[in-house]
C-alpha cells in the first residue's frame, strides 16, 4: 500500500485505511495473478472476481451485487453503452464497494460501521450492515437527501444523524470520529477496501465488451472514477487487455472542484464552500478522493467536463424517453457530459463509449416530477376523443 500524499509504503494490511504516517489516502497496489483468465471464473457479480480483490475475508456479506446490464443505446448512438448500476440491490453502484467494505469490517471483528452520505452510500451501508447483523450510523446533510434514499436508510434500520450543513461537513465529522473513536469502521470511499469492490465495474465492462475508447462517469466524492481506472489497469497487468479507456469525469456547475482543476491544468482543486446542484448525489465541494480522481483522469489521458443543472435534467429526460432507462440526476450527468463532449469534439461519435449510470431514478422522485408531463383529467366514458386527438396530434 502506498500513500498518495507522503509516499509511505507498507505491506498490504487490511487494518490500514489511511496512511499511518500522515493520514493521507492509501492506494492498494495489487499484483494480479499472471494466469488470470475470464474463462476460468465462476459465479456472478462482484465476487466472481475475488482473485483480483485484495484482502482476506472470513465472512462475505453479499446481497448479489454487481452483474449489472451493459445496455447498448438504441436511439442515441450505436457506439454508446449504458452500464446501469441502478440495478444493484439498493439501486446504486455503492453496493459493489459495500459488499467488500462490510465484509472487511466483519472480518476485522468490527460491530459498528459509519458513513457520511448524500443518500446512496447511506442506503447501501444500512442494507449491508443489516445483512451482517451489525449496527450502522449514517451522517446526512439535513434536508438535502433525496426522499427515496432517506426512506431506504430508515427501512434498513440505521441510526440517522443529521447535520446542519453540507455533505462535506458530514464527511469531516466521520473522518474525525473514525480517528478518535476507533470502534467505528468507516464505509466511505476514503476507505480503499471499498474501492476494491467498485473496480469490478471495469472487470464487467472488459469481460462483456472489451476495452471501450471512453468511460464517462459522474464525479462527487471522487472514488468511483479512480476505482474503475484501477480495475482496467489491473487487467492490463494480468495481460487480458492491453490498453485502458480514457476516463472522463463529469461534475455539475455548482459543485465542480475537480473538473475545474483539470480544465485549468491545476495540480489541486479549489474546494467549493457551498456546493449546489439538482444532482444531490454529487453536491460535494470538498471531494475526499480528489488526488485519486485527478490521477485516474490524467494517467488515462482523460478529461473532465462541467454540465449545468438544466443539461442534467434534459439528459435525465432523454435517457428515459429515448432509451427507457430511469437514472437519477447525478447519473444523467454522464449523458449530459457525453452530449457536450461530442459537441465540443472531445469525444467522437464513432468511439465506443460507456456511460456509468450510477443510480436508479426511483431514488429521487422529486427530480422525476420536474419533467413536463401530460396529465389529463378525463371522464372514463369519453376518453376516445382525447386518445385519438393525441394520436393525430390535434389536441391543443
Ligand atoms: C448516484 C451517484 N452518482 C455518482 C456519485 C459520485 O461518485 P463518487 O463519489 O465515487 O465520485 C455518487 C456518490 O458520490 C452517487 O450517489
Ligand atoms: N454520493 C455519495 C457521497 C459519499 O461518497 P462515498 O463514495 O465516499 O461514500 C453518497 O451516496 O453518499
Amino acid at each position: 500500500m502506498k500513500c498518495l500524499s507522503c509516499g509511505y509504503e507498507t505491506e498490504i494490511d487490511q487494518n490500514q485505511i489511511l496512511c499511518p504516517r500522515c493520514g493521507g489516502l492509501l492506494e492498494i497496489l495489487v499484483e494480479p495473478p499472471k494466469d488470470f483468465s475470464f474463462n476460468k471464473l465462476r459465479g456472478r457479480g462482484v465476487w466472481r472476481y475475488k482473485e483480483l480483490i485484495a484482502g482476506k475475508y472470513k465472512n462475505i456479506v453479499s446481497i448479489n451485487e454487481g452483474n449489472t446490464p451493459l445496455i447498448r443505446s438504441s436511439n442515441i448512438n450505436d457506439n454508446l453503452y449504458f452500464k446501469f448500476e441502478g440495478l444493484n440491490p439498493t439501486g446504486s453502484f455503492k453496493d459493489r464497494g459495500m459488499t467488500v467494505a462490510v465484509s472487511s469490517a466483519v472480518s476485522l471483528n468490527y460491530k459498528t460501521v459509519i458513513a457520511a452520505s448524500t443518500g446512496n452510500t447511506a442506503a447501501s451501508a444500512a442494507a449491508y450492515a443489516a445483512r451482517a447483523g451489525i449496527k450502522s450510523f449514517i451522517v446526512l446533510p439535513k434536508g438535502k437527501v433525496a426522499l427515496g434514499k432517506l426512506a431506504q436508510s430508515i427501512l434498513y434500520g440505521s441510526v440517522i444523524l443529521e447535520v446542519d450543513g453540507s455533505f462535506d461537513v458530514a464527511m469531516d465529522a466521520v473522518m474525525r470520529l473514525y480517528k478518535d473513536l476507533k470502534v467505528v469502521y468507516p464505509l466511505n470511499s476514503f476507505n480503499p477496501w471499498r474501492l476494491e469492490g467498485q473496480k469490478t465495474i471495469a472487470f464487467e465492462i472488459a469481460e462483456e465488451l472489451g476495452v471501450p475508447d471512453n468511460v464517462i462517469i459522474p464525479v462527487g466524492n471522487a472514488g468511483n472514477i479512480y476505482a474503475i481506472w484501477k480495475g482496467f489497469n489491473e487487467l492490463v497487468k494480468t495481460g487480458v487487455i492491453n490498453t485502458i479507456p480514457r476516463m472522463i469525469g463529469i461534475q455539475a456547475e455548482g459543485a465542480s472542484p475537480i473538473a475545474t482543476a483539470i480544465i485549468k491544468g491545476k495540480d489541486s482543486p479549489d474546494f467549493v464552500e457551498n456546493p449546489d446542484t439538482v444532482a444531490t448525489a454529487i453536491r460535494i465541494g470538498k471531494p475526499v478522493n480528489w488526488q485519486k480522481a485527478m490521477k485516474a483522469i490524467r494517467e488515462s489521458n482523460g478529461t473532465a467536463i462541467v454540465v449545468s443543472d438544466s443539461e442534467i435534467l434534459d439528459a435525465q429526460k432523454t435517457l428515459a424517453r429515448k432509451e427507457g432507462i430511469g437514472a437519477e440526476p447525478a447519473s444523467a450527468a454522464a449523458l449530459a457530459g457525453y452530449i457536450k463532449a461530442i459537441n465540443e469534439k472531445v469525444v467522437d461519435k464513432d468511439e465506443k463509449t460507456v456511460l456509468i449510470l450510477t443510480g436508479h431514478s426511483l431514488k429521487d422522485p422529486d427530480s422525476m416530477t420536474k419533467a413536463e408531463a401530460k396529465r389529463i383529467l378525463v371522464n372514463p366514458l369519453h376518453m376516445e376523443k382525447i386518445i385519438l386527438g393525441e394520436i393525430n396530434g390535434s389536441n391543443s
Side-chain angles (χ1 to χ4, degrees):
M1 297 174 87
K2 187 168 180 187
C3 175
L4 268 167
S5 296
C6 72
Y8 173 82
E9 284 189 51
T10 174
E11 287 300 307
I12 291 191
D13 173 359
Q14 216 155 341
N15 282 297
Q16 301 295 350
I17 286 179
L18 290 170
C19 173
R21 194 159 76 184
C22 76
L25 293 179
L26 286 174
E27 289 192 281
I28 303 174
L29 307 172
V30 291
E31 207 44 65
K34 288 278 178 296
D35 61 347
F36 177 81
S37 152
F38 284 130
N39 294 333
K40 288 199 241 161
L41 302 181
R42 295 281 169 274
R44 292 193 198 132
V46 167
W47 295 100
R48 171 176 175 78
Y49 306 99
K50 56 179 176 290
E51 62 183 294
L52 299 182
I53 296 174
K56 294 200 167 41
Y57 302 90
K58 280 192 286 201
N59 303 87
I60 286 183
V61 183
S62 170
I63 321 177
N64 296 8
E65 52 292 314
N67 190 31
T68 55
L70 185 63
I71 306 164
R72 191 173 191 172
S73 164
S74 57
N75 293 310
I76 299 175
N77 180 345
D78 271 358
N79 299 311
L80 183 63
Y81 295 79
F82 308 105
K83 183 70 174 157
F84 193 19
E85 290 296 296
L87 293 185
N88 273 295
T90 76
S92 84
F93 70 95
K94 307 284 179 174
D95 296 342
R96 292 180 184 268
M98 227 44 89
T99 182
V100 176
V102 173
S103 298
S104 196
V106 169
S107 300
L108 296 169
N109 292 322
Y110 278 89
K111 302 278 180 278
T112 309
V113 291
I114 191 162
S117 185
T118 56
N120 281 330
T121 291
S124 184
Y128 281 80
R131 181 96 171 164
I134 59 178
K135 197 165 187 70
S136 63
F137 290 91
I138 55 165
V139 188
L140 303 179
K142 188 171 163 46
K144 292 175 184 141
V145 173
L147 187 60
K149 304 176 188 182
L150 179 62
Q152 286 180 292
S153 291
I154 293 170
L155 178 67
Y156 294 127
S158 221
V159 178
I160 300 169
L161 307 171
E162 296 185 286
V163 297
D164 231 341
S166 68
F167 164 80
D168 302 302
V169 174
M171 185 74 258
D172 283 347
V174 164
M175 287 194 100
R176 188 180 53 72
L177 282 166
Y178 161 59
K179 286 175 191 156
D180 292 354
L181 281 181
K182 304 275 191 297
V183 293
V184 289
Y185 187 84
L187 294 178
N188 283 107
S189 56
F190 67 84
N191 179 338
W193 301 95
R194 213 192 85 186
L195 300 182
E196 286 299 292
Q198 287 171 215
K199 74 185 183 186
T200 59
I201 293 178
F203 300 162
E204 288 181 9
I205 293 171
E207 187 171 4
E208 189 169 344
L209 186 71
V211 183
D213 296 295
N214 310 294
V215 173
I216 302 190
I217 310 151
V219 173
N221 220 14
N224 208 29
I225 192 165
Y226 168 85
I228 298 172
W229 170 79
K230 185 178 197 279
F232 279 111
N233 271 298
E234 288 172 5
L235 287 182
V236 170
K237 286 195 188 151
T238 67
V240 298
I241 59 172
N242 48 31
T243 56
I244 64 163
R246 288 200 300 159
M247 308 300 293
I248 302 180
I250 312 299
Q251 292 201 297
E253 223 162 51
S256 64
I258 293 174
T260 305
I262 292 284
I263 292 162
K264 291 186 174 165
K266 294 177 66 170
D267 289 339
S268 59
D270 293 324
F271 295 141
V272 176
E273 215 37 65
N274 295 304
D276 192 24
T277 165
V278 67
T280 53
I282 52 172
R283 191 188 276 161
I284 296 176
K286 204 176 140 195
V288 282
N289 292 296
W290 67 265
Q291 287 164 296
K292 288 186 172 177
M294 288 180 72
K295 177 173 173 168
I297 291 170
R298 291 206 164 120
E299 292 195 9
S300 67
N301 200 23
T303 190
I305 294 171
V306 176
V307 292
S308 68
D309 278 3
S310 65
E311 287 167 330
I312 290 173
L313 291 175
D314 281 353
Q316 186 189 29
K317 206 165 68 180
T318 302
L319 255 180
R321 297 186 182 184
K322 285 202 162 174
E323 302 286 356
I325 300 175
E328 67 165 285
S331 315
L335 177 61
Y338 174 73
I339 294 168
K340 208 163 196 171
I342 297 273
N343 290 341
E344 293 178 359
K345 304 199 182 330
V346 173
V347 166
D348 193 280
K349 59 179 177 9
D350 294 333
E351 288 172 353
K352 204 177 269 185
T353 299
V354 176
L355 308 189
I356 312 296
L357 300 183
T358 45
H360 202 285
S361 59
L362 291 174
K363 294 274 193 174
D364 188 349
D366 284 347
S367 77
M368 288 192 278
T369 51
K370 285 198 172 78
E372 92 289 343
K374 279 204 168 167
R375 297 172 75 184
I376 306 166
L377 182 64
V378 291
N379 177 335
L381 301 177
H382 298 105
M383 285 160 65
E384 294 79 352
K385 197 165 158 244
I386 291 172
I387 290 172
L388 292 175
E390 282 297 318
I391 292 170
N392 304 329
S394 58
N395 284 351
S396 59

